[in-house]
Amino acid sequence: MAVWGLRRKVRALVKQGRAGEALNLVRSVTDRGTRFTAHHWNLLGVCHAKAGFPEEARKAFEVVLSSNPGSPEALNNQGNLLLLAKRPGEARDYYMKAIGAGVWQVEPRYNLVLAYMDLGHFEKALGAYEDYAAICKVHKSLKAFGLGLAILLVLLLVRG
């Protein structure tokens, strides 16, 4: 099964509160001899976290980060584990790294708001929320305009 199809199935199971089944599904990929990629490890980490195994989740995200230290998804997910562990300062640092690694990422921006709230930094939380809202507007506009055309535009602008 392609990682994207697996991701869709795992998200649906997790959303239904069936994290254990999602975990077994991801594990079954290795049993069939499929090469386990960073995407698989990230999914495995999310499933472990949702199933209540934060240490196993941390290890899975570390596997991703050891081969791809700039993975916005894994950085964000490490931040989520730290936020759940009541370590908002460290979570904030991971969210900032995730945003730096993937400027168009929405989730770490929202999570950064939560970390600032937990730290009692309400002005920073408001600023982070404004950034989050702005990126959400951009995402909405990109969807309306057509992602393919938007990517082409960005590439043209980057090449200058």
Side-chain angles (χ1 to χ4, degrees):
M1 174 185 314
V3 72
W4 307 115
L6 179 65
R7 180 182 287 180
R8 188 179 67 246
K9 287 183 180 185
V10 165
R11 283 184 178 171
L13 288 169
V14 167
K15 192 173 185 175
Q16 296 168 7
R18 298 163 52 195
E21 287 179 56
L23 183 57
N24 289 335
L25 179 62
V26 176
R27 284 181 177 156
S28 74
V29 170
T30 57
D31 295 340
R32 292 186 304 236
T34 302
R35 185 176 160 270
F36 222 56
T37 67
H39 293 292
H40 291 106
W41 281 105
N42 197 57
L43 279 176
L44 185 65
V46 168
C47 291
H48 276 304
K50 294 289 187 177
F53 305 111
E55 185 56 27
E56 288 81 0
R58 185 193 63 74
K59 289 176 185 176
F61 300 139
E62 284 298 324
V63 169
V64 177
L65 293 171
S66 69
S67 63
N68 182 6
S71 168
E73 294 85 6
L75 290 165
N76 179 68
N77 289 331
Q78 282 285 57
N80 290 344
L81 289 175
L82 290 163
L83 194 62
L84 289 172
K86 307 290 186 215
R87 294 162 57 189
E90 293 170 78
R92 176 205 53 218
D93 296 343
Y94 272 93
Y95 297 142
M96 295 296 286
K97 289 177 188 176
I99 292 166
V103 286
W104 298 106
Q105 298 285 322
V106 175
E107 190 175 347
R109 290 175 187 281
Y110 179 78
N111 294 334
L112 182 61
V113 173
L114 300 177
Y116 279 137
M117 294 288 287
D118 282 2
L119 288 166
H121 299 166
F122 302 114
E123 286 185 33
K124 288 182 179 181
L126 180 59
Y129 182 78
E130 289 169 349
D131 289 345
Y132 163 76
I135 289 295
C136 286
K137 285 181 185 178
V138 169
H139 273 260
K140 187 175 181 180
S141 296
L142 287 176
K143 285 181 183 178
F145 184 68
L147 186 58
L149 186 55
I151 290 172
L152 179 60
L153 266 169
V154 169
L155 289 174
L156 290 172
L157 290 172
V158 169
R159 288 188 166 198

